[in-house]
Amino acid sequence: MADASYVRTEMLPPQAPPVSEAGAVKWLRENLFSGWFNTILTLLGVVVIYWLVVSALPWWLNSVWTADSLGECREIVAAAAGEGATGACWAMIRERWHQFIFGFYPPDLYWRPVMAFGLLFAAMAPVLFAGQKKNLTLILGAVGVFLLVTLGLAGAPIGGWIAALLLVGGMIALAQVQPAKLLWFTVLYPALCFWLLWGGSVWTPIVAMLGFVVMGGAYLALVARMGPTGGAIAAVALAILWWLFLDIPITQALAGMIGGGLAPVSSDQFGGFLLAITIGVTAITFSLPIGILLALGRQSDMLIVKTLCVGFIEFIRGVPLITLLFTASLLLQYFLPPGTNFDIILRVIILVTLFAAAYLAEVIRGGLAALPRGQYEAADALGLDYWRAQRLIILPQALKISIPAIVSTFIGLFKDTTLVAFVGLMDPLKGVTQIVRADIDWKGIYWEPYIFVGVIFFVICFGMSRYSMYLERKLKTDHR
């Protein structure tokens, strides 16, 4: 028999890995000191962070939250930290926060933008979390709590308070049985938001929304005779005629006969984040469908449609946004019928929407170009017409591919809302900040208002970025 003494007859007990291969030491070696170059970068980063903290920490620690002027803030800092010490004066934010949020909106009507802001999330929830009862319920419940607290703090009338809570409660109940029906509130929300913010006759948004009913009815009536494209063009033309020539007379007639409405608020009283969110959200909402149509038109085989879409996209992309804002402020009024008083904020929203739609069209065109030819051939093999193929097969895949670029465009659009300061509107960054700093009590303050505005912009943009990442993970259907 062969000698088998070298064969182990019993197993050794498992041992812990070396210290350098587990725990914090392993993490440090892999992420901070994986090589000489990364080690140098890590040490340089630590030095920079240390310098920033040492330089800025006293300014943050000596913050003053209660004072009536910048001079009083400096006196409090000197008394607490000694002569020559520096400290942030957040008392200015504490005293003027309402102007950063609402601009010069009448204080007794703050409950209206507050209600519009809360209901905005209720309107977005059916789109962002379609078919997810748990998430829908959580979002709507949070909206209900938000309105319950903020409307009370804003001094809302009992009728408006009860109506808002009943509306949210009804939406929560509907989310349990037929969550798809909540999309009707999403469709109607723009009219409700307009009425809450600007006030006036309740018939103004109702008659304006009837233009879309005219568009839909005309399309259904004409599609059999003129085909999808011809029917859509005719329907849009009829809707435009409704808004240009019938909207105002019908609204005035109904307001005269029935009445009803809220106290009107003019556009020059808007400002701060109320203005930025109004322009940003509206432009984001309407630019996406327009961008999709422009992208499809650019790929169309019909020469005139393709030429118009290409010309529009290239013209808008070749012109700075500030030029379009000046166009909205000065020139757009000349293209409207005589006597038409078109609101400056609505004019800005239209131009910003068209500007964003041109960029979105190119983003979506990239998604369409990324699809393999086989997807189009599969749609043809199934016998689908053009619009059904786009709706069921092509666009869902193209939009999924384009999500990061679409959200990036939305974030850029929201930040560009600060440019409305150049046409006389009070954006939160330049308009309101300059007004606050012009006050003799706060003259000389510099960093605090910009930090406050920057933090709010960061929170909103970071939220959009995180949702896009969530949406990418949700729609990820491959096996990478």
Side-chain angles (χ1 to χ4, degrees):
M1 183 177 180
D3 184 8
S5 60
Y6 60 86
V7 177
R8 189 185 302 279
T9 58
E10 58 183 16
M11 293 297 295
L12 293 176
Q15 297 182 359
V19 176
S20 60
E21 295 297 330
V25 175
K26 180 185 178 184
W27 185 89
L28 290 172
R29 288 187 57 182
E30 291 183 350
N31 296 280
L32 300 179
F33 304 102
S34 58
W36 66 269
F37 184 69
N38 289 346
T39 302
I40 293 175
L41 290 180
T42 299
L43 295 177
L44 285 176
V46 170
V47 171
V48 171
I49 293 173
Y50 175 77
W51 177 77
L52 289 175
V53 170
V54 169
S55 302
L57 192 59
W59 187 78
W60 290 93
L61 293 179
N62 297 330
S63 298
V64 177
W65 290 88
T66 305
D68 295 327
S69 66
L70 181 59
E72 188 177 343
C73 278
R74 289 171 175 169
E75 291 176 0
I76 294 174
V77 172
E83 290 295 333
T86 60
C89 186
W90 302 114
M92 185 275 295
I93 302 297
R94 190 168 181 268
E95 183 177 303
R96 297 297 187 93
W97 67 271
H98 57 282
Q99 288 185 328
F100 282 98
I101 303 299
F102 299 106
F104 288 98
Y105 208 87
D108 58 329
L109 301 180
Y110 280 169
W111 64 272
R112 282 161 48 178
V114 168
M115 184 186 294
F117 181 73
L119 294 178
L120 170 65
F121 291 94
M124 291 193 302
V127 179
L128 301 182
F129 302 100
Q132 304 177 37
K133 291 184 180 180
K134 182 179 178 181
N135 288 336
L136 277 173
T137 305
L138 289 175
I139 296 294
L140 294 174
V143 170
V145 174
F146 172 81
L147 292 177
L148 180 67
V149 175
T150 56
L151 289 181
L153 296 175
I158 297 298
W161 199 3
I162 294 175
L165 295 180
L166 287 177
L167 176 62
V168 175
M171 294 181 68
I172 293 176
L174 188 60
Q176 309 307 313
V177 291
Q178 290 183 319
K181 299 289 186 184
L182 292 175
L183 288 173
W184 282 105
F185 180 74
T186 305
V187 173
L188 298 176
Y189 174 76
L192 176 60
C193 179
F194 173 85
W195 185 55
L196 285 173
L197 294 181
W198 274 272
S201 172
V202 69
W203 297 107
T204 301
I206 292 176
V207 177
M209 292 295 286
L210 286 177
F212 293 101
V213 177
V214 171
M215 185 188 300
Y219 176 79
L220 294 177
L222 299 174
V223 65
R225 299 180 181 178
M226 305 176 65
T229 303
I233 293 174
V236 171
L238 289 174
I240 292 174
L241 292 176
W242 171 276
W243 287 318
L244 289 179
F245 300 106
L246 297 178
D247 186 298
I248 295 177
I250 294 176
T251 300
Q252 292 174 344
L254 290 173
M257 290 187 295
I258 303 176
L262 296 172
V265 178
S266 61
S267 292
D268 57 0
Q269 294 175 293
F270 283 59
F273 281 99
L274 171 61
L275 179 67
I277 293 175
T278 300
I279 295 175
V281 172
T282 308
I284 287 172
T285 303
F286 290 101
S287 63
L288 182 59
I290 297 175
I292 292 174
L293 293 176
L294 287 172
L296 295 177
R298 183 158 189 160
Q299 289 194 327
S300 174
D301 295 329
M302 294 185 288
L303 179 62
I304 296 179
V305 173
K306 182 175 182 177
T307 303
L308 290 174
C309 292
V310 171
F312 176 83
I313 293 170
E314 297 302 333
F315 172 76
I316 294 293
R317 293 175 70 203
V319 177
L321 178 58
I322 293 179
T323 304
L324 296 178
L325 291 176
F326 280 118
T327 302
S329 175
L330 301 174
L331 300 180
L332 192 60
Q333 193 76 7
Y334 294 108
F335 296 98
L336 298 175
T340 303
N341 184 17
F342 209 41
D343 190 273
I344 176 64
I345 294 180
L346 295 182
R347 278 183 272 164
V348 168
I349 288 175
I350 290 173
L351 268 298
V352 171
T353 301
L354 297 178
F355 182 83
Y359 282 88
L360 279 174
E362 286 301 280
V363 169
I364 296 168
R365 187 174 70 88
L368 293 171
L371 290 182
R373 184 63 191 168
Q375 297 297 316
Y376 294 89
E377 295 173 350
D380 293 338
L382 291 173
L384 300 177
D385 59 23
Y386 176 79
W387 292 109
R388 286 185 179 178
Q390 297 294 334
R391 181 169 60 88
L392 299 176
I393 296 180
I394 306 301
L395 281 178
Q397 299 182 71
L399 293 176
K400 186 180 74 171
I401 296 172
S402 307
I403 285 176
I406 290 174
V407 176
S408 178
T409 305
F410 286 164
I411 291 175
L413 166 64
F414 182 69
K415 291 190 294 185
D416 284 345
T417 56
T418 56
L419 295 177
V420 298
F422 291 100
V423 293
L425 297 177
M426 290 182 295
D427 77 300
L429 187 62
K430 188 173 184 292
V432 177
T433 299
Q434 281 191 344
I435 291 174
V436 173
R437 293 174 64 194
D439 190 331
I440 191 64
D441 290 334
W442 304 108
K443 200 170 186 63
I445 201 165
Y446 189 77
W447 291 104
E448 290 85 346
Y450 292 118
I451 292 175
F452 175 70
V453 173
V455 167
I456 296 182
F457 266 105
F458 170 78
V459 170
I460 296 175
C461 295
F462 182 72
M464 287 193 281
S465 174
R466 298 300 298 179
Y467 177 76
S468 74
M469 296 171 67
Y470 158 78
L471 197 60
E472 286 182 66
R473 291 194 299 271
K474 178 185 174 184
L475 300 178
K476 188 176 182 181
T477 55
D478 55 8
H479 302 285
R480 290 176 296 177

